[in-house]
Amino acid sequence: MTCAKRAVLRRSAMTAAAVAGALVLAACGSDNGSGQDAGDTAPPPAATENETPDTEQANDADVAFAQEMIVHHRQAVEMADLADTRAESQEVKDLAEEIRAAQDPEIETMSQWLESWGEEVPSADGPAGHDGHGGHDGHGDMPGMMDEEDMERMGHASGAAFDTMFLEMMVAHHEGAVEMAETVKAEGSHEGVRTMADEVIAVQTAEIDRMNAMLGRD
């Protein structure tokens, strides 16, 4: 046999041995049926989303605040809507737009809270387009709310008379909202509600001062 043939045979034998060894190692590695050595530890399962529950709870004061403030805000927005066509002063119209822009999103936020808590959201489809709780009457226990007669008088006013009526009524309305916000800060437990109460107090107190100045009050 020539040297060249012997070299080829040696290379073939070495290749066969290497393949056999690889097959043996693969078989050993798959003995536990998992493709891993028996001593290996499987990786922990991936954490699921939202694994930590929301522990923030709303109490009865929070629920009452959200339900009543939705109704309260809706009346303020209704009053602001009247200013679009009945106010004479551009300053009153601008204020009305600011009130609407601030309170509409708060109504939406409070509605979402109530839904998430499994509580009733006050209906917006009440008699004569009012608040869903028998019109404006029946809210004598809610600070600052106008009654049916007040809203009718405002709805029939225009010009400078409307401006004065709007400012006087909105001052009383805002003072009621501030009172409600202070109550829930003392009695509520939900952090989001407390934050909104702080905002109501700050914004509406500033607007009360502004409206009193427009009325010529000290």
Side-chain angles (χ1 to χ4, degrees):
M1 181 181 296
T2 65
C3 292
K5 288 182 178 180
R6 285 196 297 268
V8 170
L9 289 173
R10 282 198 299 269
R11 285 196 295 270
S12 298
M14 293 173 61
T15 301
V19 171
L23 291 173
V24 170
L25 289 174
C28 292
S30 61
D31 283 347
N32 60 10
S34 64
Q36 295 178 327
D37 290 343
D40 290 346
T41 302
T48 58
E49 292 183 4
N50 302 323
E51 189 173 12
T52 303
D54 182 6
T55 57
E56 187 177 30
Q57 299 294 324
N59 63 17
D60 290 345
D62 297 315
V63 173
F65 173 82
Q67 290 176 330
E68 293 180 358
M69 192 60 82
I70 285 173
V71 176
H72 206 273
H73 274 14
R74 283 176 180 160
Q75 188 178 73
V77 170
E78 183 178 351
M79 294 164 69
D81 287 342
L82 291 172
D84 288 342
T85 56
R86 297 190 172 277
E88 178 179 83
S89 167
Q90 186 60 46
E91 192 173 7
V92 169
K93 292 181 179 181
D94 291 343
L95 173 63
E97 177 56 32
E98 291 171 22
I99 290 171
R100 183 166 47 235
Q103 297 195 20
D104 269 336
E106 290 180 345
I107 291 171
E108 180 64 25
T109 296
M110 289 184 287
S111 297
Q112 291 173 356
W113 282 340
L114 289 169
E115 289 173 356
S116 70
W117 300 336
E119 300 289 346
E120 181 182 0
V121 178
S123 171
D125 301 321
H130 294 314
D131 56 46
H133 296 270
H136 296 290
D137 290 326
H139 288 294
D141 58 342
M142 192 182 302
M145 284 290 286
M146 301 298 109
D147 60 22
E148 200 73 37
E149 183 179 349
D150 292 328
M151 295 302 295
E152 287 180 0
R153 286 195 301 114
M154 182 177 288
H156 288 100
S158 62
F162 175 89
D163 293 345
T164 299
M165 190 179 301
F166 174 86
L167 292 171
E168 289 176 345
M169 290 186 180
M170 194 61 82
V171 166
H173 203 271
H174 274 23
E175 288 173 344
V178 169
E179 180 181 338
M180 293 164 67
E182 289 174 340
T183 296
V184 80
K185 281 193 66 180
E187 300 177 2
S189 62
H190 189 275
E191 189 60 33
V193 170
R194 293 174 63 83
T195 298
M196 181 177 288
D198 283 333
E199 293 173 356
V200 167
I201 293 169
V203 171
Q204 298 202 24
T205 297
E207 289 176 346
I208 289 169
D209 292 342
R210 179 178 169 188
M211 289 187 286
N212 279 330
M214 293 166 68
L215 286 166
R217 298 172 177 173
D218 293 333

